[in-house]
Amino acid sequence: MSRTETDSIGPIEVPNDAYWGAQTQRSLINFAIGQERMPLAVLHALALIKKAAARVNSRSGELPADIARLIEQAADEVLEGQHDAQFPLVVWQTGSGTQSNMNVNEVIAGRANELAGGNRGGKTPVHPNDHVNRAQSSNDCFPTAMHIAAVQGVRHCLLPTLAELRDGLQEQAQRHANLVKTGRTHMMDATPITFGQELSAFVAQLGHAEAAIRAALPAACELAQGGTAVGTGLNAPAGFAEAIAAELAALTGLPLTSAPNKFAALSGHEPLVHLSGALKTLAVALMKLANDLRLLGSGPRAGFAEVRLPANEPGSSIMPGKVNPTQCEALSMLACQVLGNDATISFAASQGHLQLNVFKPVIIHNLLQSIRLLADGCRNFQQHCVADLQPDATQMAAHLENGLMLVTALNPHIGYDKAAEIAKKAYAEGSTLRQAALQLGYLNEEEFDQWVRPQDMLGAGRHD
Ligand SMILES: O=C(O)C[C@H](O)C(=O)O
C-alpha cells in the first residue's frame, strides 16, 4: 500500500506506513549502496537542530507558534527514539548529507501533519522545507549535527571508559610497584624495571591521548548553523546563528558556540580532523598496550609467560585447553580500524571544493565509528583483561636471574669493556654472570653481590 508524495522532480510512490516523503524515497532508490546506515546519532542531532530552529524561529516571528509546537513535538518523538526505523538512508549518498537532512525534515513534517489531525506525510500544515528546514540549509545543518554527535560521543561515551581503563592500569601499577623484572629494549634483555614502572607507561600514554582528545573539543563545539547555503547566512534572520547555538547548548548541556567563520565551517572540517588525530593517538597507545600484554602473556610454557591474562574462554576449536589473548586481539584490531578511519577522514576532509566539502557523511560515519570502537574497547579491555591480569613473579625472577644486562651495574666499578667481556663469556658458555665475572677475576664474590643488585638498578638514586 502506498501514497503519492511530491517534490520538485515530480510525484513518487511512498509506502503508506512511512513518515518520510519524496526525497527520502528517491534516495532509497538512487543510492542502494552498502549497508552502512547514516548513524542515528547524526539523525537525532538533526532532529535536535529542527527543534531548536523551531523555537528560535517562533520567538523571532519567522514561524507561527502552532507550527513550531508541532515541529517540536514531532522532533521530541524522534529524539526519544520512537521513529528510528524512519531513517533508512545510507552513508553513500550526497556528500552534503542533504538527503538525510531532508529525511529528518520529511519525517518531522510527516509526523507533525499526522499530529495536527491530518494524514501521515504530506506538506500541510507543516512543510518539510518551508517550516522544518526554515532558515537552514543541509550545508549548515549537517556539519552542525556532525559536531554535536561527535562531541556527545566523546564526552558521554569515550572519556568515561578511557578513565576506567586508565584507573584500572594505575591500580595494577600501584599493586606491583616493587615487583622487579627484566626490562627489554629492541626486544632484547635490558636492565631491570618493576612491573609497576612498566604499567605506569601505559597510564601516562593514555593520559597523553586523553589530553589530545580534550584539546580537540573546543573547536568541535563550534557550530556551522546559521551559515545556510554558502556561509553568508542567506535566508536566516540576523542573530539566528548565535540564538540557535545558545538554544542547542541549553538543550544538550554542551558548551556549543557559533563558529566565527561559517565559510570555513561549511567548506572545511579541520576540527574533526583534529579530533580524529587525537583518536588516532589513543589507538596508537592502545595498540602498544595490547601488543605488550600479549607478548608478556605469551606461552604459557614456550613464551615469556611473565603475565597471566584472564582465561575468559577456550581459544581453540582443535587444540584442547589452549587459551588465547583474545582481548588483546580485539583491542589491536579496533585500533587498526581507527587508524584506517583517520586516513579516510583525512582524505575526505582534504577534498573541500570551493564553498562546500562534500564528503561529510563519510567523515562522520568513520569518526563516530572510531569513537564507539574506542569507547567500547577501553571498557571491555579493562573489564575482561586488565582487571584480572596477574603477573607471574616466579617467571619474572627467573628471567631476571638469567638476564645478562644486570652486568650494566658493573660499568661504574670495572668499566664498560670488562663488563662486556663478562656478559659475552656468560652468554657464550651458558654460565651465569657471577660465574663468568669470578672466572675472569675482575671482581670477587662479595663485590658481585654488593654491586649486582637488581633492586638497586631501578632508577637514579633508587634503593628499595
Ligand atoms: O541541501 C542544501 O541545503 C544545499 C545543497 O547541499 C547544495 O549546496 O546544493
Side-chain angles (χ1 to χ4, degrees):
M1 293 291 281
S2 66
R3 64 173 190 272
T4 306
E5 292 277 353
T6 59
D7 60 12
S8 58
I9 301 284
I12 186 169
E13 290 303 292
V14 168
N16 248 345
D17 58 353
Y19 281 105
W20 67 72
Q23 295 201 42
T24 304
Q25 192 63 35
R26 285 190 209 289
S27 181
L28 272 176
I29 295 165
N30 294 338
F31 297 93
I33 307 175
Q35 295 181 323
E36 293 79 13
R37 292 268 183 101
M38 186 62 71
L40 263 183
V42 173
L43 296 156
H44 284 188
L46 280 167
L48 199 73
I49 292 166
K50 305 303 167 183
K51 173 177 172 159
R55 284 186 179 181
V56 173
N57 284 329
S58 170
R59 277 203 300 270
S60 66
E62 289 277 318
L63 266 188
D66 55 336
I67 298 288
R69 255 195 311 277
L70 285 167
I71 292 173
E72 260 205 67
Q73 200 179 334
D76 278 336
E77 290 184 5
V78 171
L79 290 168
E80 284 160 14
Q82 290 183 35
H83 302 297
D84 288 350
Q86 296 291 324
F87 302 105
L89 302 189
V90 290
V91 166
W92 317 107
Q93 54 162 283
T94 171
S96 57
T98 293
Q99 287 147 19
S100 283
N101 180 37
M102 281 310 300
N103 186 188
V104 174
N105 289 334
E106 288 178 345
V107 167
I108 289 178
R111 174 62 180 147
N113 291 334
E114 190 177 58
L115 286 168
N119 294 325
R120 180 173 296 202
K123 299 180 181 179
T124 39
V126 180
H127 192 289
N129 298 83
D130 293 338
H131 299 133
V132 187
N133 201 51
R134 183 106 188 167
Q136 305 147 59
S137 161
S138 312
N139 300 354
D140 61 357
C141 283
F142 201 82
T144 299
M146 290 163 78
H147 279 219
I148 291 173
V151 173
Q152 282 177 326
V154 168
R155 284 175 60 125
H156 303 327
C157 301
L158 177 56
L159 290 178
T161 67
L162 175 53
E164 285 170 24
L165 176 58
R166 197 164 32 82
D167 291 349
L169 286 163
Q170 174 73 23
E171 209 179 297
Q172 288 278 19
Q174 278 161 355
R175 191 175 304 151
H176 304 297
N178 296 314
L179 179 55
V180 185
K181 52 163 288 185
T182 191
R184 296 181 179 89
T185 58
H186 306 260
M187 300 278 286
M188 305 298 273
D189 304 352
T191 60
I193 187 171
T194 70
F195 190 42
Q197 287 173 325
E198 189 167 38
L199 293 174
S200 77
F202 301 126
V203 178
Q205 285 175 280
L206 294 187
H208 287 306
E210 183 183 332
I213 292 166
R214 286 187 185 278
L217 289 182
C221 283
E222 293 179 357
L223 305 181
Q225 202 68 54
T228 65
V230 295
T232 56
L234 179 70
N235 286 358
F240 180 82
E242 292 70 26
I244 194 166
E247 193 66 48
L248 287 166
L251 285 169
T252 57
L254 297 172
L256 303 173
T257 56
S258 184
N261 188 310
K262 302 291 187 299
F263 307 107
L266 271 56
S267 60
H269 285 297
E270 285 70 20
L272 299 185
V273 173
H274 183 190
L275 177 55
S276 178
L279 300 178
K280 177 176 73 172
T281 309
L282 177 56
V284 165
L286 293 176
M287 183 72 90
K288 166 89 163 61
L289 172 65
N291 281 341
D292 278 8
L293 289 185
R294 67 176 145 190
L295 256 185
L296 295 175
S298 62
R301 293 287 169 86
F304 285 10
E306 292 187 359
V307 165
R308 291 190 195 151
L309 301 175
N312 294 331
E313 69 275 309
S316 170
S317 64
I318 183 170
M319 290 177 271
K322 191 166 188 285
V323 175
N324 292 331
T326 48
Q327 289 299 319
C328 299
E329 290 166 12
L331 192 67
S332 53
M333 275 199 290
L334 75 85
C336 291
Q337 184 69 53
V338 172
L339 299 183
N341 287 352
D342 181 63
T344 302
I345 290 167
S346 305
F347 283 123
S350 70
Q351 297 299 311
H353 304 136
L354 306 177
Q355 273 61 66
L356 191 66
N357 171 294
V358 287
F359 292 74
K360 296 184 195 315
V362 74
I363 291 175
I364 195 61
H365 166 68
N366 279 274
L367 191 69
L368 292 180
Q369 187 189 56
S370 291
I371 292 169
R372 177 68 193 262
L373 288 177
L374 291 167
D376 290 353
C378 285
R379 169 162 293 156
N380 204 74
F381 198 69
Q382 162 55 23
Q383 288 178 352
H384 300 296
C385 186
V386 173
D388 293 323
L389 73 81
Q390 308 280 347
D392 186 326
T394 311
Q395 186 76 353
M396 286 179 176
H399 285 156
L400 188 64
E401 179 71 19
N402 274 338
L404 295 177
M405 286 308 116
L406 294 180
V407 82
T408 309
L410 295 179
N411 287 358
H413 304 286
I414 61 171
Y416 182 98
D417 292 340
K418 285 180 179 154
E421 214 181 321
I422 293 172
K424 285 184 153 190
K425 181 177 170 63
Y427 182 52
E429 295 174 359
S431 66
T432 64
L433 283 177
R434 172 195 296 271
Q435 286 164 340
L438 297 182
Q439 277 170 19
L440 285 168
Y442 291 142
L443 65 171
N444 62 36
E445 204 154 4
E446 202 176 77
E447 285 168 331
F448 189 92
D449 288 342
Q450 198 186 332
W451 294 337
V452 184
R453 289 163 48 90
Q455 64 273 30
D456 288 348
M457 298 172 68
L458 299 167
R462 180 176 161 150
H463 299 282
D464 289 331

